[in-house]
């Protein structure tokens, strides 16, 4: 076989090439340095990218915080509407303050009750709903159906403003779509009609409308709180922030000067008197002579603050401070005492009140007494309530001094009691007084007073000559700042002497129907015609029968005034007959309740006083 050297060489070269290719390629120092530099640059790039991302994330987070703040403080209107659906706001209602009597007994208070209402759109079976509710909860099914029909289209129809305990218990196991209850604050008057004219009532908004409820509304009214929280998509509460919660404040209590037991005594006696004499209306006022505290303020007809809508405005009027009347003879003690202090007449002076019972003044005016009294001492003028004797002495001092007396006893101005609707009465300016005034004023005519005004004036005799401001708030005996005294009207000796003369008026004079076997009552009767406001003059056969009294004699604790409007004349209308007995019983029962010992020595002390020298 011939050999081709060319072929062999080629094969040898191919093998050598294969071997050369199979050896590992050596790295030069220059090639190793270039690879390390590439790695460093990659790490630096990654670090830079990380920092950029961190800055970007920080900026995004800051932008989110700014956006959240903007959404919370001033979101756009579409966003605000959306946010409102995720926020709940609740008003936290406090309780109105309680009204208490002077011993802390509750007269008015607030509590949580439950209101029954219907959402007609949630009713499943309208045909049976009314029957089911009516028979289960003891309502008239026809009434339920009519109530729903009258409020057609409404989603909130109240069936019962205040559920009874029995109905509320029945609802516990009674589930009916469309029927629900909600808690509401209601005002309770546990004493019902007791002191209704004084206490007053509140409206549906919880604000006081009349009486004490109105007078002390600012103090009694609670301060509502608030709470706001966010809800999730399922309407469940998420959280409440501290600045979104404000607690409510309950109203403050008011403690009255009224003693509910004495109030009950006065109301009972007044109601019996009104019924006995078939009178139109009446009031009894009981006051402490030294502090001015009103212990009872009774009215007839009466009303219940819990059902004030069932009564008329006339029935609810606090006539003791709103109605003005001519006082008649109960006005005489104030004029008599002041003229005694002035020296217009001496105690034992004899005054000719005529044996005919008729007197003609120097200016030609004719005056009459209820009966001929003849010659009387100045004390007997008051004891027997002589119009003639009062007029004769009043003409000695004239109109100017008479006017000063009237104003000094507080007439022609409010008593500053603060009671709603109080009026100033009627005292004409001095320039309008004439010779008729000179003889009319001393016997309680030509002047208009309220029941509270005349009781306060009469209390001057029980307070040694000091006029006090009546108050319906209980007095704290430890309060050094409390001072009810408004001014001195009489000297203490004159005030005490007048008390003893008024004591004789009950024992021997016109007030004999108020004579008590328990206490030394001193007082004055009054029978005044009612003025005719349409035609002038007086209404024929229409009177106000009054009696004013205090007790005990030495240290008076009570001043009581009774005023009966329009008693049936055929039964009786004189003040001593009509108003004297209820005043006596109010004084006796109230003083026994107050643990004032019966006055067994009253007659002896009165006799001893009569034997002493008079001021």
């Amino acid at each position: 076989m011939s050999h081709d050297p060319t072929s062999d060489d080629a094969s040898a070269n191919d093998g050598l090439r294969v071997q050369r290719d199979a050896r590992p390629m050596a790295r030069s120092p220059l090639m190793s340095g270039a690879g390390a530099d590439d790695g460093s640059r990659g790490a630096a790039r990654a670090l830079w990218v990380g920092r950029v991302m961190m800055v970007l994330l920080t900026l995004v987070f800051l932008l989110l915080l700014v956006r959240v703040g903007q959404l919370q403080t001033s979101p756009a209107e579409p966003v605000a509407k959306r946010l409102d659906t995720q926020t709940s706001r609740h008003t936290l209602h406090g309780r109105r303050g309680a009204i208490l009597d002077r011993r802390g007994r509750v007269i008015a208070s607030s509590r949580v009750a439950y209101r029954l209402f219907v959402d007609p759109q949630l009713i499943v079976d309208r045909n049976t709903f009314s029957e089911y509710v009516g028979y289960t909860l003891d309502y008239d099914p026809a009434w339920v159906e009519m109530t729903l029909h009258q409020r057609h289209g409404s989603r909130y129809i109240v069936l019962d403003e205040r559920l009874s305990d029995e109905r509320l218990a029945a609802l516990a196991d009674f589930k009916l779509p469309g029927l629900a209850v909600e808690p509401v604050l209601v005002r309770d008057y546990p004493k019902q009609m007791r002191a209704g004219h004084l206490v007053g009532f509140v409206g549906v908004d919880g604000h006081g409308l009349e009486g004490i409820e109105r007078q002390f509304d600012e103090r009694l009214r609670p301060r509502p709180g608030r709470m706001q929280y966010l809800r999730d998509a399922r309407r469940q509460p998420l959280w409440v922030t501290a600045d979104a919660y404000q607690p409510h404040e309950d109203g403050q209590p008011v403690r009255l000067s009224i003693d509910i037991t004495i109030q009950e005594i006065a109301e009972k006696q007044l109601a019996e008197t009104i019924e006995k004499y078939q009178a139109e209306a009446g009031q009894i006022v009981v006051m402490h002579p030294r502090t001015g505290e009103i212990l009872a303020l009774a009215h007839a007809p009466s009303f219940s603050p819990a059902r004030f809508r069932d009564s008329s405005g006339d029935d609810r009027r606090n006539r003791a401070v709103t109605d003005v009347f001519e006082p008649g003879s109960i006005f005489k003690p104030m004029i008599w005492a002041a003229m005694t202090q002035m020296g217009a007449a001496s105690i034992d002076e004899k005054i000719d009140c005529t044996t005919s019972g008729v007197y003609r003044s120097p200016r030609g005016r004719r005056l009459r007494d209820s009966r001929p009294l003849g010659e009387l001492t100045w004390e007997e003028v008051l004891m027997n309530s002589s119009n003639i004797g009062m007029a004769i002495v009043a003409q000695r001092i004239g109109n100017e001094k008479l006017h000063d007396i009237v104003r000094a006893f507080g007439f022609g101005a409010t008593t500053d009691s603060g009671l709603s609707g109080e009026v100033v009465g009627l005292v004409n300016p001095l320039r309008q007084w004439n010779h008729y005034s000179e003889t009319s004023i001393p016997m309680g005519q030509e002047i208009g007073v309220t029941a509270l005004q005349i009781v306060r004036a009469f209390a001057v005799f029980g307070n040694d000559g000091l006029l006090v401001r009546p108050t319906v708030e209980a007095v704290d005996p430890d309060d050094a700042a409390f001072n009810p005294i408004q001014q001195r009207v009489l000297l203490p000796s004159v005030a005490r002497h007048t008390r003893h003369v008024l004591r004789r008026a009950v024992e021997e004079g016109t007030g004999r129907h108020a004579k008590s076997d328990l206490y030394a009552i001193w007082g004055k009767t009054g029978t005044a015609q009612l003025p005719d406001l349409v035609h002038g003059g007086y209404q024929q056969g229409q009177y106000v029968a009054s009696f004013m009294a205090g007790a005990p004699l030495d240290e008076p604790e009570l001043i009581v005034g009774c005023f009966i409007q329009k008693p049936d004349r055929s039964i009786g209308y004189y003040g001593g007959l009509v108003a004297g007995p209820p005043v006596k019983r109010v004084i006796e029962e109230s003083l026994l309740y107050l643990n004032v010992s019966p006055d067994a020595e009253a007659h002896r002390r009165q006799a001893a006083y009569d034997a002493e020298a008079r001021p």
Side-chain angles (χ1 to χ4, degrees):
M1 176 181 290
S2 60
H3 178 69
D4 189 348
T6 307
S7 300
D8 291 339
D9 290 341
S11 299
N13 290 337
D14 290 338
L16 181 61
R17 190 182 301 115
V18 171
Q19 292 177 4
R20 204 169 34 242
D21 293 341
R23 285 182 299 182
M25 184 179 294
R27 293 181 179 271
S28 67
L30 183 59
M31 291 296 291
S32 299
D37 187 57
D38 289 343
S40 297
R41 285 198 296 272
R45 187 181 302 110
L47 181 61
W48 180 82
V49 171
R51 287 174 177 172
V52 170
M53 292 299 294
M54 184 177 296
V55 170
L56 290 175
L57 288 174
T58 301
L59 290 174
V60 170
F61 183 70
L62 289 174
L63 288 173
L64 285 174
L65 289 178
V66 171
R67 179 58 174 162
V68 169
Q70 186 265 336
L71 288 173
Q72 289 183 337
T73 57
S74 56
E77 184 176 352
V79 178
K81 291 181 179 180
R82 181 66 178 171
L83 287 174
D84 284 343
T85 63
Q86 299 299 116
T87 304
S88 284
R89 298 177 180 86
H90 282 264
T91 299
L92 306 176
H93 296 287
R95 296 177 186 241
R96 188 173 176 85
I99 298 176
L100 313 171
D101 87 334
R102 64 186 299 105
R103 296 174 183 260
R105 291 168 288 200
V106 177
I107 298 176
S109 63
S110 293
R111 65 177 177 88
V112 176
Y114 290 89
R115 177 186 296 151
L116 180 67
F117 69 95
V118 177
D119 181 352
Q121 292 192 18
L122 299 180
I123 296 176
V124 176
D125 188 351
R126 183 64 181 267
N127 294 325
T128 61
F129 181 85
S130 297
E131 292 185 1
Y132 197 13
V133 171
Y135 293 137
T136 304
L137 300 178
D138 195 25
Y139 295 109
D140 182 0
W143 172 82
V144 174
E145 183 62 32
M146 181 180 64
T147 303
L148 297 179
H149 178 74
Q150 289 175 343
R151 297 286 305 280
H152 179 70
S154 174
R155 295 201 61 182
Y156 182 82
I157 301 175
V158 176
L159 291 183
D160 198 330
E161 283 285 353
R162 189 184 305 186
L163 282 169
S164 65
D165 292 340
E166 294 76 16
R167 284 172 173 158
L168 187 61
L171 276 168
D173 301 321
F174 182 45
K175 305 299 182 183
L176 188 63
L179 190 68
V181 297
E182 62 179 341
V184 291
L185 284 174
V186 297
R187 196 68 164 163
D188 280 338
Y189 299 94
K191 302 301 181 183
Q192 298 299 321
M193 293 186 177
R194 290 283 174 267
H197 293 80
L198 177 66
V199 174
F201 51 86
V202 300
V204 293
D205 59 356
H207 293 176
L209 297 182
E210 287 187 19
I212 295 299
E213 295 279 24
R214 178 180 177 180
Q215 182 179 346
F216 295 97
D217 187 56
E218 186 65 25
R219 190 189 306 180
L220 292 166
R221 192 187 308 173
R223 303 295 183 266
R226 62 178 176 83
M227 182 175 66
Q228 179 175 314
Y229 57 85
L230 295 177
R231 299 179 305 202
D232 61 18
R234 292 180 297 175
R235 316 292 288 177
Q236 298 299 313
L238 292 176
W239 68 79
V240 178
T241 59
D243 59 350
Y245 172 73
Q246 178 181 336
H248 68 269
E249 296 179 19
D250 290 338
Q252 300 177 25
V254 172
R255 190 164 66 94
L256 300 180
S257 59
I258 294 293
D259 188 302
I260 206 65
T261 299
I262 298 178
Q263 178 74 27
E264 183 176 358
I265 293 170
E267 289 185 5
K268 177 177 179 291
Q269 294 301 327
L270 181 61
E272 291 178 356
T273 303
I274 293 293
E275 182 179 2
K276 179 178 180 179
Y277 292 97
Q278 297 299 297
E280 180 182 274
Q283 303 84 43
I284 290 181
V285 182
V286 183
M287 194 175 92
H288 193 285
R290 292 184 294 280
T291 65
E293 292 174 288
I294 299 173
L295 303 178
L297 195 62
H299 285 76
S302 58
F303 84 100
S304 172
R307 300 188 301 276
F308 68 90
R309 292 185 181 86
D310 298 337
S311 57
S312 67
D314 279 346
D315 289 345
R316 298 196 301 265
R317 191 170 71 247
N318 187 351
R319 298 181 185 228
V321 296
T322 63
D323 286 18
V324 175
F325 61 96
E326 282 192 349
S329 294
I330 57 173
F331 197 71
K332 290 174 180 174
M334 281 66 78
I335 304 298
W336 186 93
M339 291 195 298
T340 300
Q341 182 166 292
M342 290 178 180
S346 61
I347 295 301
D348 296 321
E349 178 183 352
K350 298 288 187 177
I351 297 173
D352 184 8
C353 297
T354 77
T355 56
S356 65
V358 180
Y359 165 77
R360 185 182 296 272
S361 74
R363 302 290 293 271
R365 184 182 184 186
R366 291 170 60 87
L367 296 175
R368 294 179 179 273
D369 281 331
S370 60
R371 69 184 191 281
L373 296 171
E375 194 174 65
L376 300 175
T377 66
W378 181 227
E379 285 189 357
E380 290 171 338
V381 166
L382 181 60
M383 289 168 50
N384 292 279
S385 196
S386 172
N387 296 331
I388 295 173
M390 292 295 297
I392 289 173
V393 176
Q395 290 174 96
R396 300 174 184 176
I397 65 172
N399 280 339
E400 186 173 350
K401 290 184 177 179
L402 271 177
H403 189 271
D404 291 343
I405 294 171
V406 170
R407 296 308 300 263
F409 275 92
F411 298 106
T414 67
T415 65
D416 291 332
S417 68
L419 290 172
S420 300
E422 183 175 12
V423 298
V424 300
L426 176 63
V427 176
N428 290 325
L430 180 59
R431 65 179 180 275
Q432 295 181 11
W433 288 30
N434 53 33
H435 70 282
Y436 275 89
S437 307
E438 201 171 50
T439 52
S440 292
I441 295 295
M443 58 183 182
Q445 294 181 351
E446 203 177 304
I447 187 172
V449 304
T450 66
L452 186 58
Q453 282 179 328
I454 196 75
V455 169
R456 176 179 70 151
F458 200 80
V460 167
F461 306 124
N463 193 29
D464 289 343
L466 295 172
L467 185 72
V468 297
R469 178 181 66 86
T471 178
V472 292
E473 281 195 90
V475 172
D476 183 355
D478 298 326
D479 185 2
F482 175 74
N483 182 16
I485 299 172
Q486 292 184 310
Q487 63 185 23
R488 176 167 289 283
V489 180
L490 299 172
L491 294 173
S493 59
V494 174
R496 288 193 291 269
H497 177 62
T498 305
R499 281 208 307 267
H500 282 270
V501 175
L502 293 173
R503 167 67 177 155
R504 293 183 63 192
V506 173
E507 289 288 317
E508 311 167 34
T510 58
R512 288 187 294 271
H513 290 283
K515 183 178 178 180
S516 170
D517 294 330
L518 297 177
Y519 298 99
I521 296 175
W522 43 278
K524 183 70 186 74
T525 61
T527 307
Q529 281 185 282
L530 288 170
D532 189 334
L533 301 179
V534 178
H535 304 98
Y538 293 92
Q539 301 179 40
Q540 290 297 319
Q542 301 296 327
Y543 296 89
V544 177
S546 308
F547 188 72
M548 298 286 306
L553 179 66
D554 295 330
E555 295 291 336
E557 294 291 332
L558 299 177
I559 301 295
V560 182
C562 179
F563 314 92
I564 307 297
Q565 287 90 33
K566 296 185 179 181
D568 188 329
R569 195 171 184 275
S570 65
I571 304 173
Y573 66 97
Y574 285 110
L577 174 67
V578 176
V583 168
K584 180 190 77 168
R585 289 189 286 269
V586 168
I587 287 176
E588 288 179 339
E589 293 183 35
S590 297
L591 289 179
L592 288 172
Y593 160 73
L594 294 172
N595 292 321
V596 176
S597 299
D599 197 352
E601 298 296 317
H603 296 284
R604 184 188 62 78
R605 288 199 305 274
Q606 180 68 41
Y609 181 86
D610 291 341
E612 294 175 356
R614 306 288 169 73

